[in-house]
Coordinates of all heavy atoms in Angstrom, one line a residue:
M285 N 31.5 -76.6 -19.4 CA 32.3 -75.4 -19.4 C 31.7 -74.3 -18.5 O 30.6 -73.9 -18.8 CB 32.5 -74.9 -20.8 CG 33.2 -73.6 -20.9 SD 33.8 -73.1 -22.6 CE 32.4 -72.3 -23.1
R286 N 32.4 -73.9 -17.5 CA 32.0 -72.9 -16.6 C 32.5 -71.5 -17.2 O 33.6 -71.3 -17.5 CB 32.5 -73.1 -15.2 CG 32.1 -72.1 -14.2 CD 30.7 -72.4 -13.6 NE 30.3 -71.4 -12.7 CZ 29.2 -70.7 -12.9 NH1 28.3 -71.0 -13.9 NH2 28.8 -69.7 -12.1
M287 N 31.5 -70.5 -17.3 CA 31.8 -69.3 -17.9 C 31.6 -68.2 -16.9 O 30.7 -68.2 -16.1 CB 30.9 -69.1 -19.1 CG 31.3 -67.9 -20.0 SD 30.4 -67.8 -21.5 CE 31.4 -68.9 -22.6
E288 N 32.5 -67.2 -16.9 CA 32.3 -66.0 -16.0 C 31.7 -65.0 -16.9 O 32.0 -64.7 -18.0 CB 33.7 -65.5 -15.5 CG 34.4 -66.5 -14.6 CD 33.6 -66.7 -13.3 OE1 33.1 -65.6 -12.7 OE2 33.5 -67.8 -12.9
F289 N 30.8 -64.2 -16.3 CA 30.0 -63.2 -17.0 C 30.3 -61.8 -16.4 O 30.6 -61.7 -15.2 CB 28.5 -63.4 -16.9 CG 28.2 -64.8 -17.4 CD1 27.8 -65.9 -16.6 CD2 28.2 -65.1 -18.8 CE1 27.4 -67.1 -17.1 CE2 27.9 -66.3 -19.4 CZ 27.5 -67.3 -18.5
E290 N 30.1 -60.8 -17.2 CA 30.3 -59.4 -16.7 C 28.8 -58.9 -16.5 O 27.9 -59.4 -17.1 CB 31.0 -58.5 -17.8 CG 32.4 -59.0 -18.0 CD 33.1 -58.1 -19.0 OE1 33.1 -56.8 -18.7 OE2 33.7 -58.6 -19.9
K291 N 28.7 -57.9 -15.5 CA 27.4 -57.3 -15.3 C 27.5 -55.9 -15.8 O 28.4 -55.2 -15.5 CB 27.1 -57.4 -13.8 CG 25.7 -56.9 -13.4 CD 25.5 -57.1 -12.0 CE 24.0 -56.9 -11.6 NZ 23.3 -55.7 -12.0
S292 N 26.3 -55.5 -16.3 CA 26.2 -54.1 -16.8 C 24.7 -53.8 -16.7 O 23.9 -54.4 -17.5 CB 26.7 -54.0 -18.2 OG 26.4 -52.6 -18.7
G293 N 24.4 -52.9 -15.8 CA 22.9 -52.6 -15.7 C 22.1 -53.9 -15.3 O 22.5 -54.6 -14.4
N294 N 21.1 -54.1 -16.0 CA 20.3 -55.3 -15.8 C 20.5 -56.4 -16.8 O 19.7 -57.0 -17.3 CB 18.8 -54.9 -15.9 CG 18.4 -53.9 -14.8 OD1 19.0 -54.0 -13.8 ND2 17.4 -53.1 -15.1
R295 N 21.9 -56.7 -17.0 CA 22.2 -57.8 -17.8 C 23.5 -58.4 -17.3 O 24.4 -57.8 -16.7 CB 22.3 -57.3 -19.2 CG 23.4 -56.5 -19.5 CD 23.3 -55.7 -20.9 NE 24.0 -56.5 -22.0 CZ 25.2 -56.2 -22.5 NH1 25.9 -55.2 -22.0 NH2 25.7 -57.0 -23.5
F296 N 23.7 -59.7 -17.7 CA 25.0 -60.3 -17.5 C 25.4 -60.8 -19.0 O 24.5 -61.2 -19.8 CB 24.8 -61.6 -16.6 CG 24.6 -61.2 -15.2 CD1 23.4 -61.2 -14.7 CD2 25.7 -61.0 -14.4 CE1 23.2 -60.9 -13.3 CE2 25.6 -60.7 -13.0 CZ 24.3 -60.6 -12.5
Y297 N 26.6 -60.7 -19.3 CA 27.0 -61.0 -20.7 C 28.5 -61.5 -20.7 O 29.2 -61.4 -19.8 CB 26.8 -59.9 -21.5 CG 27.8 -58.7 -21.3 CD1 28.9 -58.5 -21.9 CD2 27.5 -57.8 -20.2 CE1 29.8 -57.5 -21.7 CE2 28.3 -56.7 -19.9 CZ 29.5 -56.6 -20.6 OH 30.3 -55.6 -20.3
K298 N 28.8 -62.0 -21.9 CA 30.2 -62.4 -22.1 C 30.5 -62.0 -23.5 O 29.8 -62.3 -24.5 CB 30.3 -63.9 -22.0 CG 31.7 -64.5 -22.3 CD 32.6 -64.2 -21.2 CE 33.9 -64.9 -21.4 NZ 34.9 -64.6 -20.3
N299 N 31.7 -61.3 -23.7 CA 32.1 -61.0 -25.1 C 33.3 -61.9 -25.4 O 34.1 -62.3 -24.5 CB 32.6 -59.6 -25.1 CG 31.5 -58.5 -25.0 OD1 30.3 -58.9 -25.2 ND2 31.8 -57.3 -24.6
D300 N 33.6 -62.2 -26.7 CA 34.7 -63.0 -27.1 C 36.0 -62.0 -27.1 O 35.8 -60.9 -26.8 CB 34.5 -63.7 -28.4 CG 34.4 -62.8 -29.6 OD1 34.6 -61.5 -29.5 OD2 34.0 -63.3 -30.7
E301 N 37.1 -62.6 -27.4 CA 38.3 -61.8 -27.4 C 38.3 -60.7 -28.3 O 39.1 -59.7 -28.2 CB 39.5 -62.8 -27.6 CG 39.6 -63.4 -29.0 CD 38.7 -64.7 -29.0 OE1 38.3 -65.2 -28.0 OE2 38.3 -65.2 -30.1
K302 N 37.4 -60.7 -29.3 CA 37.4 -59.6 -30.3 C 36.3 -58.5 -29.8 O 36.1 -57.5 -30.6 CB 37.0 -60.2 -31.7 CG 38.0 -61.0 -32.2 CD 37.6 -61.5 -33.7 CE 38.7 -62.4 -34.1 NZ 38.2 -63.6 -34.9
G303 N 35.6 -58.8 -28.8 CA 34.6 -57.8 -28.3 C 33.2 -58.0 -28.8 O 32.4 -57.3 -28.5
K304 N 33.0 -59.2 -29.5 CA 31.7 -59.5 -30.0 C 31.0 -60.2 -28.8 O 31.5 -61.2 -28.2 CB 31.8 -60.5 -31.1 CG 30.5 -60.9 -31.7 CD 30.7 -61.9 -32.8 CE 29.3 -62.6 -33.2 NZ 29.4 -64.0 -33.4
M305 N 29.7 -59.8 -28.6 CA 28.9 -60.5 -27.6 C 28.5 -61.9 -28.0 O 28.0 -62.1 -29.1 CB 27.6 -59.7 -27.3 CG 26.8 -60.2 -26.1 SD 25.3 -59.4 -25.9 CE 24.4 -59.9 -27.3
I306 N 28.8 -62.8 -27.0 CA 28.5 -64.3 -27.4 C 27.5 -64.8 -26.5 O 27.1 -65.9 -26.8 CB 29.8 -65.0 -27.4 CG1 30.6 -64.9 -26.1 CG2 30.7 -64.7 -28.6 CD1 31.8 -65.8 -26.0
A307 N 27.2 -64.2 -25.4 CA 26.2 -64.7 -24.4 C 25.6 -63.5 -23.7 O 26.4 -62.6 -23.2 CB 26.8 -65.7 -23.6
E308 N 24.3 -63.6 -23.4 CA 23.7 -62.5 -22.7 C 22.3 -63.0 -22.1 O 21.6 -63.8 -22.7 CB 23.5 -61.3 -23.6 CG 22.6 -60.2 -23.0 CD 22.2 -59.1 -24.0 OE1 21.6 -59.4 -25.0 OE2 22.5 -57.9 -23.8
V309 N 22.1 -62.4 -20.9 CA 20.7 -62.5 -20.3 C 20.3 -61.2 -19.8 O 21.2 -60.4 -19.3 CB 20.8 -63.6 -19.1 CG1 21.7 -63.1 -18.0 CG2 19.4 -63.9 -18.7
T310 N 19.1 -60.8 -20.0 CA 18.6 -59.5 -19.5 C 17.4 -59.7 -18.7 O 16.6 -60.6 -18.8 CB 18.3 -58.5 -20.8 OG1 17.2 -59.1 -21.5 CG2 19.5 -58.3 -21.6
Y311 N 17.2 -58.6 -17.8 CA 16.0 -58.7 -16.9 C 15.5 -57.2 -16.7 O 16.4 -56.3 -16.8 CB 16.2 -59.4 -15.6 CG 17.4 -58.9 -14.9 CD1 17.3 -57.9 -13.8 CD2 18.7 -59.4 -15.1 CE1 18.3 -57.5 -13.1 CE2 19.8 -58.9 -14.4 CZ 19.6 -57.9 -13.4 OH 20.7 -57.5 -12.6
V312 N 14.3 -57.0 -16.3 CA 13.9 -55.7 -16.1 C 13.1 -55.6 -14.8 O 12.3 -56.6 -14.4 CB 12.9 -55.2 -17.2 CG1 13.7 -54.9 -18.5 CG2 11.7 -56.1 -17.5
P313 N 13.3 -54.6 -14.0 CA 12.6 -54.5 -12.7 C 11.1 -54.5 -12.9 O 10.6 -53.8 -13.9 CB 13.1 -53.2 -12.2 CG 14.4 -52.9 -12.9 CD 14.2 -53.5 -14.2
A314 N 10.4 -55.1 -12.1 CA 8.9 -55.0 -12.1 C 8.4 -54.7 -10.7 O 8.2 -55.6 -9.8 CB 8.3 -56.3 -12.5
G315 N 8.5 -53.4 -10.3 CA 8.1 -53.0 -8.9 C 9.4 -53.3 -8.0 O 10.4 -53.4 -8.5
E316 N 9.1 -53.2 -6.7 CA 10.2 -53.3 -5.8 C 10.7 -54.8 -5.5 O 11.8 -54.9 -5.1 CB 9.8 -52.7 -4.5 CG 9.4 -51.2 -4.5 CD 10.7 -50.4 -4.7 OE1 11.6 -50.6 -3.9 OE2 10.7 -49.5 -5.6
E317 N 9.8 -55.7 -5.8 CA 10.1 -57.0 -5.2 C 10.4 -58.1 -6.3 O 10.6 -59.3 -6.0 CB 9.0 -57.5 -4.3 CG 8.8 -56.6 -3.1 CD 7.6 -56.8 -2.4 OE1 6.9 -57.9 -2.7 OE2 7.3 -56.0 -1.5
K318 N 10.3 -57.7 -7.6 CA 10.5 -58.7 -8.6 C 11.1 -58.1 -9.9 O 11.1 -57.0 -10.1 CB 9.3 -59.6 -8.9 CG 8.1 -58.7 -9.4 CD 6.9 -59.7 -9.6 CE 5.6 -58.8 -9.8 NZ 4.5 -59.6 -9.9
V319 N 11.7 -59.1 -10.7 CA 12.1 -58.7 -12.0 C 11.6 -59.7 -13.0 O 11.2 -60.8 -12.7 CB 13.8 -58.8 -12.0 CG1 14.4 -57.8 -11.0 CG2 14.3 -60.2 -11.8
I320 N 11.6 -59.2 -14.2 CA 11.2 -60.1 -15.3 C 12.4 -60.5 -16.2 O 13.1 -59.6 -16.6 CB 10.2 -59.3 -16.3 CG1 8.9 -59.0 -15.5 CG2 9.9 -60.1 -17.5 CD1 8.0 -58.0 -16.2
L321 N 12.7 -61.8 -16.2 CA 13.8 -62.2 -17.0 C 13.3 -62.4 -18.4 O 12.4 -63.2 -18.6 CB 14.2 -63.6 -16.4 CG 15.6 -64.1 -16.8 CD1 16.2 -65.2 -15.8 CD2 15.8 -64.5 -18.2
D322 N 13.7 -61.5 -19.3 CA 13.0 -61.3 -20.6 C 13.8 -61.8 -21.8 O 13.2 -61.9 -22.9 CB 12.5 -59.9 -20.8 CG 13.7 -58.9 -20.8 OD1 14.8 -59.2 -20.5 OD2 13.4 -57.8 -21.2
H323 N 15.1 -62.1 -21.6 CA 15.9 -62.4 -22.8 C 17.1 -63.2 -22.5 O 17.9 -62.9 -21.6 CB 16.3 -61.1 -23.5 CG 17.3 -61.2 -24.6 ND1 17.0 -61.8 -25.9 CD2 18.5 -60.9 -24.7 CE1 18.0 -61.8 -26.6 NE2 19.0 -61.3 -26.0
T324 N 17.4 -64.3 -23.2 CA 18.6 -65.1 -23.1 C 19.1 -65.3 -24.5 O 18.3 -65.7 -25.4 CB 18.4 -66.5 -22.4 OG1 17.6 -66.3 -21.2 CG2 19.6 -67.2 -22.2
F325 N 20.4 -65.1 -24.7 CA 21.1 -65.2 -26.0 C 22.4 -66.0 -25.8 O 23.1 -65.6 -25.0 CB 21.3 -64.0 -26.7 CG 22.2 -64.0 -27.8 CD1 21.8 -64.6 -29.1 CD2 23.6 -63.7 -27.7 CE1 22.8 -64.7 -30.1 CE2 24.5 -63.8 -28.7 CZ 24.1 -64.3 -30.0
V326 N 22.5 -67.0 -26.6 CA 23.9 -67.7 -26.6 C 24.3 -67.8 -28.2 O 23.4 -68.3 -28.9 CB 23.9 -69.0 -25.9 CG1 25.2 -69.8 -26.1 CG2 23.5 -68.9 -24.4
D327 N 25.5 -67.4 -28.5 CA 25.9 -67.5 -29.9 C 25.8 -69.0 -30.3 O 26.1 -69.9 -29.5 CB 27.4 -67.1 -29.9 CG 27.9 -67.0 -31.4 OD1 27.6 -66.0 -32.0 OD2 28.6 -67.9 -31.9
P328 N 25.4 -69.2 -31.6 CA 25.3 -70.6 -32.1 C 26.5 -71.4 -31.9 O 26.3 -72.7 -31.6 CB 25.0 -70.4 -33.5 CG 24.3 -69.0 -33.7 CD 25.0 -68.2 -32.6
S329 N 27.7 -70.9 -31.9 CA 28.9 -71.7 -31.7 C 29.1 -72.2 -30.3 O 29.8 -73.1 -30.1 CB 30.2 -70.8 -32.0 OG 30.2 -69.7 -31.1
L330 N 28.3 -71.7 -29.4 CA 28.4 -72.1 -28.0 C 27.2 -73.0 -27.5 O 27.1 -73.4 -26.4 CB 28.5 -70.9 -27.0 CG 29.8 -70.1 -27.2 CD1 29.7 -68.8 -26.4 CD2 31.0 -70.9 -26.7
R331 N 26.2 -73.1 -28.3 CA 25.0 -73.8 -27.9 C 25.2 -75.2 -27.5 O 26.2 -75.8 -28.0 CB 23.9 -73.6 -29.0 CG 23.5 -72.2 -29.1 CD 22.3 -71.9 -29.8 NE 21.9 -70.5 -29.8 CZ 21.4 -69.8 -30.7 NH1 21.1 -70.5 -31.9 NH2 21.2 -68.5 -30.7
G332 N 24.4 -75.8 -26.6 CA 24.6 -77.1 -26.2 C 25.6 -77.3 -25.1 O 25.9 -78.4 -24.7
Q333 N 26.2 -76.2 -24.5 CA 27.2 -76.4 -23.6 C 26.7 -75.9 -22.2 O 27.5 -75.8 -21.3 CB 28.4 -75.5 -24.0 CG 29.0 -76.0 -25.3 CD 30.3 -75.2 -25.7 OE1 31.1 -74.8 -24.9 NE2 30.3 -74.9 -27.0
G334 N 25.4 -75.6 -22.0 CA 24.9 -75.2 -20.7 C 25.1 -73.7 -20.5 O 25.0 -73.3 -19.3
I335 N 25.5 -72.9 -21.4 CA 25.8 -71.5 -21.1 C 24.5 -70.8 -20.8 O 24.5 -69.9 -19.9 CB 26.5 -70.8 -22.4 CG1 27.7 -71.6 -22.9 CG2 26.8 -69.4 -22.1 CD1 28.9 -71.7 -21.9
A336 N 23.4 -71.0 -21.4 CA 22.2 -70.3 -21.2 C 21.7 -70.6 -19.8 O 21.3 -69.8 -19.0 CB 21.1 -70.7 -22.1
H337 N 22.0 -71.9 -19.3 CA 21.6 -72.3 -18.0 C 22.4 -71.5 -16.9 O 21.8 -71.0 -16.0 CB 21.9 -73.8 -17.9 CG 21.2 -74.5 -16.7 ND1 21.4 -74.0 -15.3 CD2 20.2 -75.4 -16.6 CE1 20.7 -74.8 -14.5 NE2 20.0 -75.7 -15.3
Q338 N 23.7 -71.3 -17.3 CA 24.6 -70.6 -16.4 C 24.2 -69.1 -16.3 O 24.2 -68.5 -15.2 CB 26.0 -70.6 -16.8 CG 26.7 -72.0 -16.7 CD 28.0 -72.0 -17.3 OE1 28.8 -71.1 -17.0 NE2 28.4 -73.1 -18.0
L339 N 23.7 -68.5 -17.5 CA 23.3 -67.2 -17.4 C 22.1 -67.0 -16.6 O 22.0 -66.1 -15.7 CB 22.9 -66.7 -18.9 CG 24.1 -66.4 -19.8 CD1 23.6 -66.4 -21.2 CD2 24.7 -65.0 -19.4
V340 N 21.1 -67.9 -16.7 CA 19.9 -67.8 -15.9 C 20.2 -68.0 -14.4 O 19.7 -67.2 -13.6 CB 18.8 -68.8 -16.3 CG1 17.7 -68.9 -15.3 CG2 18.3 -68.5 -17.7
D341 N 21.1 -68.9 -14.1 CA 21.5 -69.1 -12.7 C 22.2 -67.9 -12.2 O 22.2 -67.7 -11.0 CB 22.3 -70.4 -12.6 CG 21.5 -71.7 -12.6 OD1 20.2 -71.5 -12.5 OD2 22.0 -72.7 -12.6
R342 N 22.9 -67.2 -13.0 CA 23.6 -66.0 -12.6 C 22.6 -64.9 -12.1 O 22.8 -64.3 -11.1 CB 24.5 -65.5 -13.6 CG 25.5 -64.3 -13.3 CD 26.5 -64.8 -12.2 NE 27.2 -63.7 -11.6 CZ 26.8 -62.9 -10.6 NH1 25.6 -63.2 -10.0 NH2 27.5 -61.9 -10.2
V343 N 21.5 -64.8 -12.8 CA 20.4 -63.9 -12.5 C 19.7 -64.3 -11.1 O 19.5 -63.5 -10.2 CB 19.4 -63.6 -13.6 CG1 18.2 -62.8 -13.1 CG2 20.0 -63.0 -14.8
V344 N 19.5 -65.7 -11.1 CA 18.9 -66.2 -9.9 C 19.7 -65.9 -8.7 O 19.3 -65.5 -7.7 CB 18.7 -67.7 -10.1 CG1 18.3 -68.4 -8.8 CG2 17.6 -68.0 -11.1
E345 N 21.1 -66.1 -8.8 CA 22.0 -65.9 -7.7 C 21.9 -64.4 -7.2 O 21.7 -64.1 -6.0 CB 23.4 -66.2 -8.1 CG 24.5 -66.0 -7.2 CD 25.8 -66.3 -7.8 OE1 26.0 -67.2 -8.7 OE2 26.8 -65.6 -7.5
E346 N 21.9 -63.5 -8.2 CA 21.8 -62.1 -7.9 C 20.5 -61.7 -7.2 O 20.5 -61.0 -6.3 CB 22.0 -61.3 -9.2 CG 22.2 -59.8 -9.0 CD 23.6 -59.5 -8.7 OE1 24.5 -60.3 -8.6 OE2 23.9 -58.3 -8.5
M347 N 19.4 -62.2 -7.8 CA 18.1 -61.9 -7.2 C 17.9 -62.5 -5.8 O 17.2 -61.9 -5.0 CB 16.9 -62.3 -8.2 CG 16.9 -61.5 -9.4 SD 16.9 -59.7 -9.2 CE 18.5 -59.3 -9.9
R348 N 18.5 -63.7 -5.6 CA 18.4 -64.2 -4.2 C 19.1 -63.3 -3.2 O 18.6 -63.1 -2.1 CB 19.0 -65.6 -4.2 CG 18.1 -66.7 -4.7 CD 18.6 -68.0 -4.6 NE 17.6 -69.1 -5.1 CZ 17.9 -70.1 -5.8 NH1 19.1 -70.4 -6.2 NH2 16.9 -71.0 -6.1
K349 N 20.2 -62.8 -3.6 CA 21.0 -61.8 -2.7 C 20.1 -60.5 -2.5 O 20.2 -60.0 -1.4 CB 22.2 -61.4 -3.4 CG 23.4 -62.4 -3.4 CD 24.6 -61.8 -3.9 CE 25.5 -62.8 -4.5 NZ 26.6 -62.3 -5.3
E350 N 19.3 -60.1 -3.5 CA 18.5 -58.9 -3.4 C 17.2 -59.2 -2.9 O 16.3 -58.3 -2.8 CB 18.5 -58.2 -4.8 CG 19.8 -57.7 -5.2 CD 19.7 -57.0 -6.6 OE1 18.6 -56.6 -7.0 OE2 20.8 -56.9 -7.3
H351 N 16.8 -60.5 -2.5 CA 15.6 -60.9 -2.0 C 14.4 -60.5 -2.9 O 13.4 -60.0 -2.5 CB 15.3 -60.3 -0.6 CG 16.4 -60.7 0.3 ND1 16.7 -61.9 0.8 CD2 17.4 -59.9 0.8 CE1 17.7 -61.9 1.6 NE2 18.2 -60.6 1.7
K352 N 14.6 -60.7 -4.3 CA 13.6 -60.4 -5.2 C 13.2 -61.8 -5.9 O 14.0 -62.7 -6.0 CB 14.2 -59.5 -6.3 CG 14.4 -58.1 -5.8 CD 14.9 -57.1 -6.8 CE 15.1 -55.8 -6.2 NZ 15.7 -54.8 -7.2
K353 N 12.0 -61.7 -6.4 CA 11.5 -62.9 -7.2 C 11.7 -62.6 -8.7 O 11.9 -61.5 -9.1 CB 10.0 -63.0 -7.0 CG 9.6 -63.3 -5.5 CD 9.8 -64.6 -5.1 CE 9.3 -64.9 -3.7 NZ 9.6 -66.2 -3.2
I354 N 11.6 -63.7 -9.5 CA 11.8 -63.7 -10.9 C 10.6 -64.1 -11.6 O 9.9 -65.2 -11.2 CB 13.0 -64.6 -11.3 CG1 14.3 -64.0 -10.8 CG2 13.1 -64.7 -12.9 CD1 15.5 -64.8 -11.1
V355 N 10.1 -63.4 -12.6 CA 9.1 -63.9 -13.5 C 9.8 -64.2 -14.9 O 10.4 -63.5 -15.5 CB 8.1 -62.7 -13.9 CG1 7.0 -63.1 -14.9 CG2 7.5 -62.1 -12.6
P356 N 9.9 -65.6 -15.1 CA 10.6 -66.0 -16.3 C 9.8 -65.9 -17.6 O 9.0 -66.7 -17.9 CB 10.9 -67.5 -16.0 CG 9.7 -67.9 -15.1 CD 9.3 -66.6 -14.3
L357 N 9.9 -64.8 -18.3 CA 9.1 -64.5 -19.5 C 9.9 -65.0 -20.7 O 9.3 -65.4 -21.7 CB 8.9 -63.0 -19.7 CG 7.7 -62.5 -19.1 CD1 7.3 -61.1 -19.6 CD2 6.4 -63.4 -19.2
C358 N 11.2 -65.0 -20.7 CA 12.0 -65.5 -21.8 C 11.7 -67.0 -22.0 O 11.6 -67.8 -21.0 CB 13.5 -65.4 -21.4 SG 14.6 -66.6 -22.2
P359 N 11.4 -67.4 -23.2 CA 11.0 -68.9 -23.4 C 12.0 -69.9 -22.8 O 11.6 -70.9 -22.3 CB 11.0 -69.0 -24.9 CG 10.7 -67.6 -25.4 CD 11.4 -66.7 -24.5
Y360 N 13.3 -69.6 -23.0 CA 14.3 -70.6 -22.4 C 14.2 -70.6 -20.8 O 14.1 -71.7 -20.3 CB 15.7 -70.1 -22.8 CG 16.7 -71.1 -22.1 CD1 17.0 -72.4 -22.6 CD2 17.3 -70.7 -20.9 CE1 17.8 -73.2 -21.9 CE2 18.2 -71.5 -20.2 CZ 18.4 -72.8 -20.8 OH 19.3 -73.6 -20.1
A361 N 14.1 -69.5 -20.2 CA 14.0 -69.5 -18.8 C 12.7 -70.0 -18.2 O 12.7 -70.8 -17.3 CB 14.1 -68.0 -18.2
K362 N 11.7 -69.9 -19.0 CA 10.3 -70.4 -18.6 C 10.4 -71.9 -18.6 O 10.0 -72.6 -17.6 CB 9.3 -69.9 -19.7 CG 7.9 -70.1 -19.2 CD 7.0 -69.4 -20.3 CE 5.8 -68.9 -19.5 NZ 5.2 -67.9 -20.3
V363 N 11.0 -72.5 -19.7 CA 11.1 -74.0 -19.7 C 12.1 -74.5 -18.6 O 11.8 -75.5 -18.0 CB 11.7 -74.4 -21.1 CG1 12.1 -75.9 -21.2 CG2 10.6 -74.2 -22.2
L364 N 13.2 -73.8 -18.4 CA 14.1 -74.2 -17.4 C 13.5 -74.2 -16.0 O 13.6 -75.1 -15.2 CB 15.3 -73.3 -17.4 CG 16.4 -73.6 -16.4 CD1 17.1 -74.9 -16.7 CD2 17.6 -72.5 -16.5
F365 N 12.7 -73.1 -15.7 CA 12.0 -73.0 -14.4 C 11.0 -74.1 -14.2 O 10.8 -74.6 -13.1 CB 11.4 -71.7 -14.3 CG 12.3 -70.6 -13.7 CD1 13.5 -70.3 -14.2 CD2 11.9 -69.8 -12.6 CE1 14.4 -69.4 -13.8 CE2 12.7 -68.8 -12.1 CZ 13.9 -68.6 -12.7
E366 N 10.3 -74.5 -15.3 CA 9.4 -75.6 -15.2 C 10.1 -77.0 -15.1 O 9.7 -77.8 -14.2 CB 8.6 -75.6 -16.5 CG 7.5 -74.6 -16.5 CD 6.8 -74.4 -17.9 OE1 7.0 -75.3 -18.8 OE2 6.1 -73.4 -18.0
R367 N 11.2 -77.1 -15.8 CA 11.9 -78.5 -15.8 C 12.6 -78.7 -14.5 O 12.7 -79.8 -14.1 CB 13.0 -78.4 -17.0 CG 13.4 -79.8 -17.3 CD 14.3 -79.8 -18.5 NE 15.5 -79.0 -18.3 CZ 16.0 -78.2 -19.3 NH1 15.6 -78.2 -20.5 NH2 17.1 -77.5 -19.1
E368 N 13.1 -77.6 -13.9 CA 13.8 -77.8 -12.6 C 13.1 -77.0 -11.6 O 13.7 -76.2 -10.8 CB 15.3 -77.3 -12.8 CG 16.0 -78.1 -13.8 CD 17.5 -77.7 -13.8 OE1 18.0 -77.1 -13.0 OE2 18.1 -78.0 -14.9
S369 N 11.8 -77.2 -11.4 CA 11.0 -76.4 -10.6 C 11.4 -76.3 -9.1 O 11.3 -75.3 -8.5 CB 9.5 -76.7 -10.7 OG 9.3 -78.1 -10.4
E370 N 11.9 -77.4 -8.5 CA 12.2 -77.4 -7.2 C 13.5 -76.5 -6.9 O 13.5 -75.9 -5.9 CB 12.5 -78.9 -6.7 CG 11.2 -79.7 -6.7 CD 11.4 -80.9 -5.9 OE1 12.4 -81.1 -5.2 OE2 10.4 -81.7 -5.9
K371 N 14.3 -76.5 -7.9 CA 15.6 -75.6 -7.7 C 15.1 -74.1 -7.6 O 15.8 -73.4 -7.0 CB 16.5 -75.9 -8.9 CG 17.7 -75.1 -8.9 CD 18.6 -75.5 -10.1 CE 19.9 -74.6 -10.2 NZ 20.6 -75.0 -11.4
Y372 N 14.1 -73.8 -8.4 CA 13.7 -72.4 -8.5 C 12.4 -72.0 -7.7 O 12.0 -70.9 -7.9 CB 13.5 -72.0 -10.0 CG 14.8 -72.2 -10.8 CD1 14.8 -73.3 -11.7 CD2 15.9 -71.5 -10.6 CE1 16.0 -73.5 -12.5 CE2 17.1 -71.7 -11.4 CZ 17.1 -72.7 -12.3 OH 18.3 -73.0 -13.1
L373 N 12.0 -72.9 -6.9 CA 10.7 -72.6 -6.2 C 10.8 -71.4 -5.4 O 9.7 -70.7 -5.4 CB 10.5 -73.9 -5.3 CG 9.1 -74.2 -4.9 CD1 8.1 -74.3 -6.1 CD2 8.9 -75.5 -4.0
D374 N 11.8 -71.2 -4.7 CA 11.9 -70.0 -3.8 C 12.0 -68.7 -4.6 O 11.7 -67.6 -3.9 CB 13.2 -70.1 -2.9 CG 14.5 -70.1 -3.7 OD1 14.6 -70.7 -4.7 OD2 15.3 -69.3 -3.2
I375 N 12.4 -68.7 -5.8 CA 12.6 -67.4 -6.5 C 11.6 -67.1 -7.6 O 11.4 -66.0 -7.9 CB 14.1 -67.5 -7.1 CG1 14.5 -66.2 -7.6 CG2 14.1 -68.5 -8.3 CD1 15.3 -65.4 -6.5
Q376 N 10.9 -68.1 -8.0 CA 9.9 -67.9 -9.1 C 8.6 -67.3 -8.6 O 8.1 -67.7 -7.6 CB 9.6 -69.1 -9.9 CG 8.8 -68.9 -11.1 CD 8.5 -70.2 -11.9 OE1 9.1 -71.2 -11.6 NE2 7.8 -70.1 -12.9
T377 N 8.1 -66.3 -9.4 CA 6.8 -65.9 -9.2 C 6.0 -65.9 -10.5 O 6.6 -65.9 -11.6 CB 6.8 -64.5 -8.6 OG1 5.4 -64.1 -8.3 CG2 7.4 -63.4 -9.6
K378 N 4.7 -65.9 -10.5 CA 3.9 -66.1 -11.7 C 3.6 -64.7 -12.2 O 3.3 -63.8 -11.4 CB 2.6 -66.9 -11.4 CG 2.8 -68.3 -10.9 CD 3.3 -69.2 -12.0 CE 3.5 -70.6 -11.5 NZ 4.6 -71.3 -12.0

């Protein structure tokens, strides 16, 4: 299931039809050239559908446009960056 996310400040998120947040990823600037991806949340009702992966990829897409690197501090993002290291080689920094 492909999901569209809204952007607000340093986060991408999705609310359900009642306005309840059901998915979110946040990042914080770390200097001029990188951001720290620090939090990923997916509502339990949506887990196992690849939503968290899509959230992380949305940040990756944005940071590639801005020519910034990502430090994956969030446990989910950290595992994803390790598991698919070639996909994220150009964007990841330690």
